[in-house]
Amino acid sequence: MKITKICCIGAGYVGGPTMSVIASQCPEIQVTVVDLSKERIDLWNHSDLDKLPVYEPGLKELVEKTRGKNLFFSTEIDKAIDEAEMIFISVNTPTKTYGKGKGQAADLKNIELCARNIAKVAKTNKIVVEKSTLPVRTASAIKSILDNTGNGVDFEILSNPEFLAEGTAIDDLLNADRVLIGGAETEKGQTAKDALAGIYQHWLPKDRILQTNVWSSELSKLVANAFLAQRVSSINSISALCEKTDANVAEVSRAIGYDSRIGAKFLNSSVGFGGSCFQKDILNLVYIAQSYGLQEVADYWEQVIIMNDYQKRRFAENIVTTLYNTVSGKKIVFYGWAFKKDTNDTRESAAIYVADALLDEKAEIVIYDPKVPESQVYEDLDYLGTRSPEENRRLLKVVNDPLKASEEAHAIAILTEWDEFKNYDWKIIYDKMLKPAFVFDGRRLLEKDTMQEIGFEYYKIGQS
Ligand code: UDX
Ligand code: ADP
């Protein structure tokens, strides 16, 4: 089956970069990315490529190369659905904030809306690809909506979970470890899986494209993220022990990572993992396990999140304790707000929760992040609902100049591992700060000896 037109519903962190890569690698396929948000689509179409709504290294070059040729961004959702043979659903599926499964289950409202829309519009057979992370068995829900409300059109549903990490999305897509395609074990299902595999084969070797049944594919996505998050929580639990015992968590990571069975990656201790996926996917896994009566399985995975919350809380508490048990009225500067470097995404960023804890203690916080705008910082804090928007704006300021921010500061906390923080002249920063000048390094970015030689009281996660 030959695919000539693709529609992707959802122009976000997943849809935008993924479709840019597909368009750049498959010049004969016309790719249209659609979204309900006109504002977002306008940004994707902006003549200034620095205004794209998603920041990813290498993304703007791909958009520049393909936009208007075989990559289009549009709000004409129905038209794009109608024309495409293959439709990717790449909308957000946040954790439910209401009703059954509140705080755990994924909210599938957007997915269902997409399915109903596809059913309404489609006049020819379609392959529908789930890209968003979804609970196991969502494909059958989509299929049921499509089959029962469609116009007698044949739909094949595939699960093709996204494994890209933000900040390295383009490289992850171009050099994927594997692509996973789940679909029905029928002749039509096989044809659909092969059609999708054919797209990825434009740039990936065949043996990296795995085909499974649809449930295995959906579950594998949750499990991959749960295992990755578990590694971070595991090493973070050890960081607390290192701080008490004079062991150094970096040395422990290195020592265990040399064991090829364990492997060296994803063992960097930090202030805690963030991002839109890890917590959401584990909560999903916990919810699914619970709903099948597997309480021990649910408890096992929930502990990964409990440890992550502990790490963020521990970091904030250490700041308060070290600053003589009070931060009330003290200026604390955060370097970094994004959940990791090289992205402007702040979803579930540890910085949000550390700030919230310190604001409870009446600290005056100043934020500098090279990519996150002021409006996003306030939106993140307001979303928690801990205090009024006015109070958040009174106690917390966002600035553009990291050096100026350090003037008269009691402490600096490093929340994101942006490379530029390593290259600052920390002597100048030291001179501007109140003394003793404290630095709390939640990303293990700086060298302890150098910082102490300058005169800082320097605290690094996982090291006494
Ligand atoms: C993750 C998965 O890696 C990706 O495969 C999936 O598709 C989406 O979820 P992402 O959340 O974008 O990607 O970033 P990732 O690099 O996995 O980092 C997640 C969080 O863990 C970040 O806050 C990061 O700082 C933290 N982390 C990661 C650590 O604290 N230590 C590590 O060693 C690795
Ligand atoms: P992700 O990280 O999963 O890509 P984002 O929030 O970055 O999540 O992007 C999801 C996009 O999907 C948003 O731009 C949102 O406007 C869009 N969206 C959500 N529901 C629909 C829908 N029913 N139809 C079209 N677009 C939608």
Side-chain angles (χ1 to χ4, degrees):
M1 181 178 178
K2 205 164 158 44
I3 304 296
T4 60
K5 287 199 175 116
I6 287 177
C7 160
C8 172
I9 311 181
Y13 281 91
V14 173
T18 309
M19 293 303 128
S20 302
V21 167
I22 291 183
S24 75
Q25 300 299 315
C26 310
E28 79 285 9
I29 301 181
Q30 180 181 312
V31 181
T32 307
V33 189
V34 293
D35 203 293
L36 286 174
S37 161
K38 180 170 180 324
E39 194 187 345
R40 216 168 214 194
I41 291 298
D42 285 348
L43 289 174
W44 280 110
N45 283 324
H46 206 288
S47 53
D48 179 357
L49 288 160
D50 287 323
K51 295 266 180 352
L52 295 185
V54 171
Y55 171 74
E56 276 294 337
L59 174 64
K60 71 175 180 185
E61 288 79 4
L62 289 185
V63 172
E64 186 171 28
K65 205 174 92 181
T66 52
R67 198 176 59 188
K69 296 196 179 84
N70 67 329
L71 177 66
F72 301 90
F73 295 94
S74 162
T75 49
E76 288 186 76
I77 301 179
D78 291 1
K79 179 167 179 277
I81 291 174
D82 180 32
E83 289 177 356
E85 297 106 16
M86 184 176 271
I87 301 162
F88 287 77
I89 303 185
S90 195
V91 298
N92 43 332
T93 50
T95 304
K96 269 186 97 173
T97 52
Y98 54 89
K100 190 162 180 280
K102 178 179 169 187
Q104 283 189 327
D107 191 339
L108 299 180
K109 198 174 60 188
N110 294 338
I111 298 284
E112 185 170 337
L113 278 173
C114 289
R116 290 191 185 280
N117 209 15
I118 297 170
K120 187 183 76 189
V121 172
K123 295 192 280 295
T124 51
N125 295 350
K126 310 279 180 204
I127 298 172
V128 177
V129 185
E130 305 174 341
K131 238 327 149 204
S132 319
T133 304
L134 298 166
V136 197
R137 305 205 76 88
T138 305
S140 61
I142 297 181
K143 177 99 178 118
S144 143
I145 292 171
L146 291 172
D147 287 348
N148 288 302
T149 44
N151 320 320
V153 164
D154 199 18
F155 295 103
E156 272 309 313
I157 319 293
L158 299 179
S159 156
N160 173 220
E162 192 45 78
F163 294 110
L164 63 82
E166 287 176 30
T168 52
I170 303 301
D171 191 50
D172 292 344
L173 285 159
L174 287 172
N175 302 301
D177 286 342
R178 63 15 187 132
V179 165
L180 187 54
I181 300 175
E185 289 165 318
T186 59
E187 205 177 309
K188 280 184 185 163
Q190 191 57 51
T191 308
K193 282 188 272 191
D194 290 343
L196 183 54
I199 291 174
Y200 288 108
Q201 277 170 32
H202 279 71
W203 72 95
L204 288 171
K206 233 177 169 171
D207 60 2
R208 281 201 227 157
I209 301 169
L210 313 182
Q211 296 194 3
T212 63
N213 78 28
V214 76
W215 327 125
S216 305
S217 172
E218 288 180 329
L219 186 59
S220 298
K221 165 70 189 213
L222 299 185
V223 175
N225 274 345
F227 268 61
L228 289 169
Q230 182 196 41
R231 277 174 80 89
V232 179
S233 273
S234 295
I235 200 67
N236 280 346
S237 75
I238 300 304
S239 74
L241 206 51
C242 286
E243 288 164 30
K244 299 282 184 212
T245 57
D246 284 347
N248 176 338
V249 76
E251 291 179 353
V252 176
S253 290
R254 186 160 167 264
I256 63 167
Y258 261 74
D259 186 325
S260 60
R261 293 168 303 177
I262 296 175
K265 291 181 183 163
F266 249 75
L267 287 177
N268 293 323
S269 178
S270 69
V271 57
F273 61 74
S276 69
C277 281
F278 280 1
Q279 173 154 319
K280 184 183 77 174
D281 288 357
I282 293 176
L283 286 171
N284 234 313
L285 197 59
V286 168
Y287 182 72
I288 292 165
Q290 264 169 359
S291 59
Y292 287 108
L294 304 173
Q295 194 55 44
E296 284 79 0
V297 177
D299 291 345
Y300 177 78
W301 287 107
E302 191 170 16
Q303 197 60 34
V304 173
I305 294 178
I306 293 173
M307 187 52 62
N308 197 46
D309 289 340
Y310 166 70
Q311 188 76 346
K312 294 181 271 190
R313 201 170 58 241
R314 206 168 71 77
F315 186 74
E317 281 170 4
N318 184 37
I319 294 179
V320 178
T321 320
T322 310
L323 295 184
Y324 317 107
N325 286 318
T326 176
V327 289
S328 173
K330 290 183 180 169
K331 178 175 173 183
I332 301 176
V333 178
F334 278 22
Y335 282 174
W337 188 261
F339 82 96
K340 61 188 272 199
K341 74 171 178 176
D342 290 340
T343 176
N344 59 350
D345 193 350
T346 62
R347 288 176 286 181
E348 291 301 329
S349 179
I352 303 169
Y353 298 92
V354 174
D356 192 48
L358 294 176
L359 289 174
D360 273 348
E361 297 285 337
K362 306 257 175 287
E364 289 181 11
I365 301 183
V366 175
I367 310 288
Y368 167 75
D369 187 288
K371 289 284 173 207
V372 179
E374 181 181 48
S375 55
Q376 185 63 52
V377 174
Y378 288 131
E379 198 178 301
D380 292 337
L381 272 178
D382 293 346
Y383 182 77
L384 295 181
T386 317
R387 59 195 75 70
S388 69
E390 296 74 37
E391 184 81 344
N392 283 334
R393 280 150 192 77
R394 192 174 63 75
L395 290 173
L396 184 140
K397 304 281 175 226
V398 183
V399 298
N400 295 324
D401 182 343
L403 296 192
K404 201 158 177 301
S406 65
E407 273 167 17
E408 310 269 298
H410 290 261
I412 292 177
I414 300 177
L415 273 303
T416 312
E417 72 282 22
W418 287 102
D419 288 334
E420 67 173 62
F421 301 159
K422 280 190 278 195
N423 303 327
Y424 289 171
D425 187 334
W426 282 89
K427 174 75 176 76
I428 295 181
I429 294 174
Y430 176 79
D431 290 341
K432 288 178 184 288
M433 291 174 67
L434 294 180
K435 309 295 174 314
F438 294 91
V439 170
F440 297 90
D441 190 343
R443 293 293 183 161
R444 302 188 48 84
L445 203 63
L446 305 172
E447 289 306 321
K448 185 175 176 183
D449 291 349
T450 320
M451 294 299 279
Q452 286 181 337
E453 268 163 36
I454 294 173
F456 283 109
E457 296 286 332
Y458 175 74
Y459 294 84
K460 193 171 189 172
I461 285 262
Q463 214 169 326
S464 62

